Amino acid sequence: MIRLFYIIICAQLIVLLPAQAAEHLVKPGESIQAAINKASKGDLIKVLPGTYREKGILINKQLVLQGIGYPVLDGENKYEVVTITADHVVVQGFEIIRSGYSSMDELAAVRIKQASYVGIRNNRLRENFFGIYCQHASFSLIAHNDITSTGGSELEAGNGIHAWKSNHLVIDGNFISGHRDGIYFEFVTESTITNNKSHQNIRYGLHFMFSHQDIYTNNTFSENGAGVAVMYSRQVTMIRNHFLDNWGSAAYGILLKEISDSYAAYNEFSRNTAAIYMEGSSRLIIFANRFLQNGYGIRIQASCDNNVIRKNNFIANSFDIATNGSLVLNSFNENYWDKYEGYDLNRDGMGDIPYRPLSLFALIVERNNSAMMLFRSPMVGLLEKAEKIMPGITPEKLKDNQPSMKPFPL
């Protein structure tokens, strides 16, 4: 499905250049905007190497704007560099730098505004406020761009790729670093985020708000303030992503807040403060993921219900599961827990006695964070042994009735 969607959009971009299309050449010292104004629908404009400083380039007709040898488009920290308001436009092969900064206006290196079948690909974006901004965009491709900035704080930096009230976007193969959020979706539907690397962004590697029926797959989110936040959304598919080294007092691999009817499978969560933090989430399937060396594997709040956590590997986490309530409305089944000390007499690969992944100390820490000071103390070991001998404080129903004896080959 993802590949078909990608092919359809690319096919629409290929037909941009009709047989009678003219080619225009822009040299250093000449105006790109003048070439655009002169061009006819479907023409190709090639821009030779050099630095071009123009007060906002507007593309308002179908054409291809192609950089040769990465010519530099410089916004001089004053302007939005390129604005696209026409369908069937491609911008590729440029280095776009220093868009304007404004606390009122969200100025960008490239803005797609109320347009469809636009391709922004193979560009280098440096030190811009917002990188690529999709505003009422549809059926468009943002691919293989290198988007970096050095924003010092959330107020001083915009998002690398920002999409608002858009649909049927493909965000593929981009590298994004140093922005507020690497990728930000708000009211974006039926779109795909694939093969991107979102690294060392100030807040989130990826941030979803009110965005439904989207897919993100094969992405890496590493060393961000927090990995990914999916909020107030439904029917989101999250497959084969990597959530790595997202550490901090409020950091996690992925935050799932008020999300429903979604699917997370075959993802790797390694070295995050909390791999998954779930709040107000319902009817999720969390299947065949690997949780390795995290502070918490899953922190699942009492406001979550009807979620299925099945066939995941929990390995070398400080706490596999944590919760803030005693009511259990979610199911854990057939997971591998490296702390499980049970046996398998009938050799079916499943433990013969249930496993309770919520430790007493995890429950205490959830209610009183300062107790974490005692994490490595002998007292904690005594508490855990006492709870195993006489269980009764941790929720009785929070258990895996069929724990796997071996990790799954994910």
Side-chain angles (χ1 to χ4, degrees):
M1 176 182 171
I2 296 171
R3 178 57 55 186
L4 178 62
F5 188 26
Y6 189 101
I7 290 171
I8 290 171
I9 292 179
C10 289
Q12 289 288 336
L13 296 175
I14 288 169
V15 300
L16 276 170
L17 295 174
Q20 67 274 20
E23 183 176 307
H24 307 264
L25 197 64
V26 181
K27 302 174 183 177
E30 298 178 347
S31 169
I32 296 172
Q33 187 65 62
I36 293 170
N37 295 342
K38 179 182 177 183
S40 299
K41 179 180 177 181
D43 284 357
L44 168 65
I45 298 174
K46 291 186 176 180
V47 181
L48 295 180
T51 299
Y52 299 81
R53 298 180 178 89
E54 301 188 36
K55 188 179 178 180
I57 296 168
L58 175 64
I59 303 176
N60 57 2
K61 64 184 71 171
Q62 174 184 330
L63 54 79
V64 174
L65 184 65
Q66 179 177 342
I68 307 299
Y70 287 98
V72 176
L73 308 181
D74 186 356
E76 302 181 87
N77 294 318
K78 298 177 182 178
Y79 318 116
E80 188 155 271
V81 186
V82 178
T83 304
I84 300 165
T85 60
D87 298 344
H88 298 281
V89 169
V90 171
V91 175
Q92 62 185 21
F94 290 91
E95 182 163 330
I96 306 174
I97 66 172
R98 301 197 306 165
S99 72
Y101 166 84
S102 171
S103 58
M104 298 294 292
D105 300 316
E106 296 176 332
L107 301 176
V110 180
R111 180 185 297 268
I112 305 170
K113 186 176 181 181
Q114 296 180 324
S116 301
Y117 299 106
V118 174
I120 311 297
R121 56 196 189 192
N122 300 311
N123 300 286
R124 299 194 296 237
L125 278 62
R126 301 287 184 265
E127 304 302 330
N128 297 289
F129 184 35
F130 282 75
I132 298 171
Y133 198 117
C134 303
Q135 177 182 347
H136 291 282
S138 61
F139 294 98
S140 293
L141 173 67
I142 299 171
H144 305 293
N145 301 284
D146 187 334
I147 306 170
T148 61
S149 184
T150 53
S153 69
E154 290 184 21
L155 294 176
E156 295 171 345
N159 302 319
I161 297 173
H162 183 107
W164 181 70
K165 289 192 174 181
S166 298
N167 62 82
H168 297 95
L169 304 179
V170 173
I171 315 295
D172 179 67
N174 302 280
F175 176 83
I176 310 128
S177 182
H179 282 271
R180 181 195 304 159
D181 295 338
I183 303 170
Y184 180 86
F185 270 22
E186 186 172 6
F187 302 107
V188 178
T189 59
E190 298 179 272
S191 296
T192 300
I193 299 171
T194 183
N195 301 317
N196 302 281
K197 293 184 178 179
S198 189
H199 175 70
Q200 290 187 341
N201 293 288
I202 298 166
R203 189 169 61 175
Y204 301 119
L206 167 64
H207 192 181
F208 270 45
M209 294 282 286
F210 308 104
S211 295
H212 314 305
Q213 295 176 288
D214 295 311
I215 297 171
Y216 67 93
T217 181
N218 292 315
N219 303 284
T220 298
F221 306 100
S222 61
E223 298 183 48
N224 300 286
V228 173
V230 182
M231 303 181 179
Y232 311 106
S233 302
R234 62 180 181 272
Q235 294 176 290
V236 178
T237 301
M238 304 160 270
I239 300 176
R240 299 194 186 282
N241 301 285
H242 300 272
F243 304 84
L244 310 175
D245 298 299
N246 299 291
W247 288 109
S249 58
Y252 28 74
I254 181 169
L255 165 67
L256 302 173
K257 181 177 175 64
E258 304 295 337
I259 174 177
S260 63
D261 302 298
S262 297
Y263 184 71
Y266 304 103
N267 301 289
E268 179 182 356
F269 299 88
S270 296
R271 302 178 302 278
N272 303 282
T273 300
I276 296 180
Y277 184 96
M278 299 171 62
E279 180 179 332
S281 298
S282 302
R283 299 182 302 279
L284 309 186
I285 296 174
I286 299 174
F287 174 80
N289 302 281
R290 186 166 82 144
F291 299 88
L292 175 66
Q293 297 179 344
N294 301 282
Y296 293 87
I298 299 178
R299 294 182 70 182
I300 184 165
Q301 303 301 86
S303 55
C304 300
D305 61 52
N306 291 307
N307 300 294
V308 175
I309 295 94
R310 183 169 175 262
K311 288 194 174 181
N312 302 280
N313 291 335
F314 291 85
I315 302 170
N317 303 294
S318 297
F319 304 110
D320 290 325
I321 301 294
T323 187
N324 64 344
S326 58
L327 187 63
V328 179
L329 300 173
N330 308 282
S331 72
F332 297 79
N333 204 31
E334 299 180 81
N335 299 284
Y336 171 75
W337 313 89
D338 68 339
K339 299 180 182 68
Y340 179 59
E341 297 176 348
Y343 45 83
D344 178 20
L345 296 179
N346 61 3
R347 298 186 180 182
D348 65 352
M350 298 297 171
D352 294 339
I353 58 174
Y355 177 64
R356 291 178 171 81
L358 178 62
S359 70
L360 177 57
F361 187 62
L363 194 62
I364 292 170
V365 170
E366 196 70 20
R367 296 173 180 176
N368 187 348
N369 291 336
S370 61
M372 195 63 192
M373 296 170 56
L374 302 173
F375 179 52
R376 298 293 183 186
S377 72
M379 183 184 299
V380 173
L382 291 173
L383 278 174
E384 300 298 343
K385 289 180 180 178
E387 177 63 15
K388 287 180 181 179
I389 295 170
M390 295 182 295
I393 299 176
T394 57
E396 167 65 22
K397 292 185 179 180
L398 204 165
K399 60 184 177 179
D400 188 331
N401 285 313
Q402 292 182 292
S404 175
M405 297 300 294
K406 296 181 179 180
F408 296 100
L410 305 179

